[in-house]
Amino acid sequence: MALTAIFFYLFATLALASGAMVIVAKNPVHAVLFLILTFFNAAGLFILLGAEFLAMLLIIVYVGAVAVLFLFVVMMLDVDFAELRAGFIKNAPVGLLVGGVVLAELVLLVVARVAAPATPATIAAPIPQGTTNTEALGQILYTKYVYFFQGAGLVLLVAMVGAIVLTLRHKEGVKRQSIADQVARGPATAVKMVKVASGASAIPDAPAKR
Amino acid sequence: MSSETITMLWEYGLWLAVTVGLSLLVLVGLLLCVAFLLLMDRKVWAAVQMRRGPNVVGPFGLLQSFADLLKFVLKEAVIPAGADKGVFLLAPLATATCALAAWAVIPMNKDGWGTWVISDLNVGVLYLLAISSLGVYGVIMGGWASNSKYPFMGSLRSAAQMISYEVSLGFVVITVLLLVGSLNLATVVTAQTHGVGTWLGLPASALDWHWVPLLPMFVVFFISSLAETNRPPFDLVEAESELVAGFMVEYSSTPYLLFMLGEYVAITTMCALATILFLGGWLPPLDIWPLNAVPGIFWFAAKVVFMFFMFAMAKAMVPRYRYDQLMRLGWKVFLPLSLVMVVAVAGVLQYLRSV
C-alpha cells in the first residue's frame, strides 16, 4: 500500500503541476506538451485504480491521436499574445463563472463523500470479481447498453459525414490520380495505330512538315 | 521499525532489484542486438545493390555500429540559434525512451521458470500500441523545435502518416485478439500451439500460427508497420530528395544518435510484435525432437531477424511512395480491408461457436 500511496502522490502532484503549467505557459506549444504530461499522469492514476484498460485507451486515443492533432494545429497557428491579453479582462467573468461551477461541483463531491461514506467503496470497485477490466467494460458497453452505444456511434458518423460535406470541395482544373484507370490501362486503350503517309505528321490535324 | 515493516521493505527492495536487473539485462541485450541489426540492414542493402557494405571496422565490418556510436558521441552537439532548446533536446530523448519502453512487455520465451518478460501485463497489446503511438511526439517536437522549414514539413507529414496507419494497425491487432480472446501477449503466443494445422490432424507446427488464417492481415500489418516506423517506401518524413533529412536536418551528434536508435528500436519492436501476433513467438516451426529442444528464445530471435530482413529488403527494393498515394493506401485500402476482416473474423468465430 505504501508504494501505491507514493505513486499516487507522484502522479497527482505531477498532474496538478503540469495542469497548472498548461494555463501558465506562455508558448502555446509548451502548453499542449504540458497537457500531454497531464494526460499521462491521469493514465497513471487510472492504473493505480486498477483500470488498466482505460489507462491504455486514454494514452492511445487522447495522447496518441487527439493531442497530436492539437499540437499539429497549435504549431501552425500564429498566436498574437498582445491580442490574447487584451481579451483577458473581457472574458474573465465568463471564465470565472465556469471555474466557479466546476469548483462548486468538486466541493459537492467532497461533501457527498463525507455524508455517505459507503459510496466511495462502490465507486472504487466497479469491476465484478473474476473478470478482467476489459471484459467488464465490454459487458457494459456492448451488451447492457448496446443500443445507446450504437446510437452514439451513429451520431458520430453523422457528425463526420457532415464535416466532410461542409469542407470537401472539388476544385476545377486540378488533375487527380485515378489508380483504377491507370491499372485498367492496356495496349487496347493506350496505343492507337496510325497509318502515316510519307512526309505527313502522325498527328492528324498537325501541319505537315516541310 | 517493526519486523513487519522491514519484511515489507525487503520485499519491495527485492522486487525493485529484480525488476531493475531484468530491465538492464533486456536493455543491454536489445541495444547490442540493434547494433548488429543496423549493420545487417546496411549489409542487406549493400548486397542488393551489389556492393560490399561496411567491411573495414572489425572482421567483416562487425564493429561498424560501435565505431559509429563513438563517432556520434564524440562530436559536438549543435543547437540552432532559433531553436526551442528544451523541446529540441527533449524530442530525441522522448523517441528513444518510448521505443525502449515498449520492450517491457514483450515476452521472449516461456519455460519452467515462467514467461521471459519484464512485466506480464494483461493489456500488453494495448500498451504496445500506446507506446508506438507516442513515437510520433519525438518527430513532431523535433520538427517544430528546430525552427526551420524542412524539419517542420517533415514532422507534419509524419504526424499525419503515423496517425493514419495506426488505425489500420489497430484493426489488424483486433483481428488477432478476436482469435485469441486475450490482450496478454504471452497468451497470444500460447494460443498458437493449436490452429489450422492441428485441426487438419498434423502435429503442432508453423501452420498453426496466425499467419495462416489471417494471411491478408499479416500483409497489411507488415506494410502498416513499415509506415508506422517511417521506413522506406514510406520514409516521406525524411525524404532526402525533397526535405534533405526531414525532421532530423538540424540534429547532430548524440541527439541524432538517439533519434536513429529510437527508430531502429521501434523497427525491432514492430518485428517482435509481428513475430508474436502472427509467427508464433517462441514456438518452434515443428514441434518434434531436435527442433523443440532448442530454447524458445532462439526461435523468437530468428523470427525477429527474419522480419527485420523483410524490412531491409523492402527498403532495398521498393521505390518511395508519393504522399497522396501513401494517404490513399492507408485510408482507402487498408482501413476498409481491415474493418471488413474484423467483421468477417468476428462473424466466423460466432458461427463456429454456435455450430
Side-chain angles (χ1 to χ4, degrees):
Chain A
M1 279 324 270
L3 205 62
T4 323
I6 293 171
F7 275 111
F8 170 77
Y9 284 113
L10 177 76
F11 288 138
T13 319
L14 277 176
L16 282 179
S18 48
M21 285 304 289
V22 175
I23 319 173
V24 177
K26 281 192 175 154
N27 191 326
V29 173
H30 290 177
V32 176
L33 291 176
F34 276 114
L35 184 67
I36 292 159
L37 190 60
T38 317
F39 282 148
F40 257 112
N41 288 298
L45 289 175
F46 272 133
I47 288 181
L48 289 184
L49 275 177
E52 71 269 8
F53 183 76
L54 219 53
M56 290 303 147
L57 276 200
L58 183 74
I59 293 184
I60 294 176
V61 175
Y62 281 94
V63 180
V66 175
V68 173
L69 295 180
F70 248 59
L71 205 56
F72 205 100
V73 172
V74 167
M75 276 177 185
M76 305 232 260
L77 286 181
D78 190 17
V79 182
D80 187 355
F81 286 104
E83 204 175 314
L84 272 183
R85 291 219 182 83
F88 180 76
I89 300 296
K90 202 181 74 186
N91 294 326
V94 182
L96 279 178
L97 186 71
V98 173
V101 169
V102 173
L103 184 69
E105 281 176 348
L106 283 177
V107 169
L108 277 179
L109 198 69
V110 174
V111 170
R113 269 189 88 136
V114 176
T119 355
T122 47
I123 293 171
I127 305 156
Q129 288 296 314
T131 55
T132 65
N133 211 297
T134 319
E135 267 180 72
L137 268 176
Q139 285 289 342
I140 290 176
L141 266 186
Y142 301 116
T143 309
K144 201 172 170 191
Y145 296 116
V146 63
Y147 295 114
F148 296 97
F149 182 77
Q150 294 283 348
L154 275 179
V155 171
L156 277 179
L157 181 70
V158 170
M160 196 170 84
V161 171
I164 294 174
V165 167
L166 285 177
T167 53
L168 182 75
R169 59 183 82 112
H170 285 288
K171 262 190 214 160
E172 292 294 318
V174 174
K175 278 193 179 175
R176 285 177 185 278
Q177 185 181 24
S178 166
I179 305 252
D181 284 356
Q182 287 181 350
V183 172
R185 197 163 177 258
T189 53
V191 181
K192 199 167 101 187
M193 298 301 285
V194 182
K195 200 115 189 139
V196 185
S198 173
S201 167
I203 307 163
D205 296 332
K209 263 190 207 152
R210 267 181 283 164
Chain B
M1 265 205 276
S2 66
S3 64
E4 233 175 77
T5 327
I6 293 172
T7 332
M8 205 181 70
L9 273 180
W10 168 243
E11 274 175 10
Y12 277 147
L14 194 67
W15 174 81
L16 194 69
V18 168
T19 312
V20 168
L22 275 179
S23 308
L24 273 180
L25 189 71
V26 171
L27 192 67
V28 171
L30 181 66
L31 289 179
L32 276 177
C33 290
V34 165
F36 287 109
L37 282 175
L38 220 159
L39 180 75
M40 176 185 150
D41 194 29
R42 295 172 68 177
K43 281 283 193 187
V44 168
W45 204 12
V48 171
Q49 298 172 347
M50 300 179 82
R51 292 185 286 117
R52 282 183 189 278
N55 63 349
V56 177
V57 191
F60 311 107
L62 277 177
L63 300 177
Q64 179 67 43
S65 299
F66 301 97
D68 286 345
L69 171 81
L70 272 183
K71 186 185 81 172
F72 280 126
V73 171
L74 294 177
K75 276 188 170 180
E76 182 195 355
V78 181
I79 300 174
D84 187 322
K85 203 171 172 186
V87 181
F88 187 81
L89 291 177
L90 190 64
L93 269 178
T95 307
T97 316
C98 286
L100 288 169
W103 279 77
V105 295
I106 299 223
M108 285 169 249
N109 192 4
K110 191 173 196 168
D111 58 8
W113 297 347
T115 317
W116 291 22
V117 58
I118 298 174
S119 169
D120 200 7
L121 280 189
N122 55 2
V123 286
V125 178
L126 288 181
Y127 173 84
L128 269 186
L129 279 184
I131 291 288
S132 81
S133 70
L134 294 182
V136 69
Y137 278 110
V139 178
I140 298 191
M141 290 199 297
W144 177 78
S146 299
N147 195 19
S148 161
K149 293 209 172 47
Y150 283 141
F152 192 55
M153 295 292 290
S155 68
L156 288 187
R157 280 182 176 190
S158 148
Q161 174 182 339
M162 286 170 94
I163 291 178
S164 308
Y165 280 84
E166 224 157 68
V167 182
S168 55
L169 211 59
F171 277 120
V172 172
V173 170
I174 286 176
T175 56
V176 176
L177 297 182
L178 281 174
L179 284 188
V180 177
S182 166
L183 290 165
N184 183 307
L185 286 166
T187 318
V188 171
V189 175
T190 42
Q192 298 181 57
T193 45
H194 43 81
V196 176
T198 43
W199 182 69
L200 289 172
L202 302 167
S205 68
L207 288 176
D208 296 329
W209 303 342
H210 286 145
W211 67 270
V212 180
L214 295 174
L215 187 62
M217 287 296 97
F218 183 38
V219 176
V220 171
F221 183 88
F222 176 66
I223 300 175
S224 298
S225 54
L226 284 175
E228 178 74 10
T229 51
N230 295 324
R231 279 285 284 192
F234 306 111
D235 60 338
L236 294 142
V237 178
E238 50 199 274
E240 67 268 11
S241 50
E242 310 146 35
L243 297 180
V244 193
F247 66 99
M248 294 186 195
V249 174
E250 306 289 353
Y251 280 89
S252 55
S253 171
T254 321
Y256 175 79
L257 174 75
L258 284 177
F259 263 136
M260 201 70 187
L261 177 76
E263 198 181 314
Y264 272 87
V265 173
I267 292 165
T268 321
T269 312
M270 277 298 168
C271 295
L273 190 56
T275 305
I276 290 166
L277 292 179
F278 292 100
L279 298 179
W282 58 81
L283 301 172
L286 195 59
D287 199 7
I288 52 170
W289 173 65
L291 294 181
N292 60 17
V294 176
I297 183 98
F298 169 78
W299 293 118
F300 180 79
K303 288 168 190 173
V304 170
V305 170
F306 169 73
M307 284 307 295
F308 191 87
F309 175 74
M310 301 267 283
F311 267 69
M313 286 304 275
K315 176 179 179 174
M317 299 192 307
V318 186
R320 183 178 293 136
Y321 259 56
R322 214 171 55 202
Y323 191 69
D324 61 321
Q325 292 170 335
L326 169 95
M327 282 296 157
R328 177 187 166 273
L329 187 70
W331 288 107
K332 292 189 180 172
V333 180
F334 284 174
L335 184 61
L337 186 68
S338 49
L339 255 178
V340 166
M341 270 305 271
V342 169
V343 175
V345 168
V348 167
L349 283 177
Q350 185 64 28
Y351 172 75
L352 288 179
R353 194 189 287 173
S354 65
V355 165

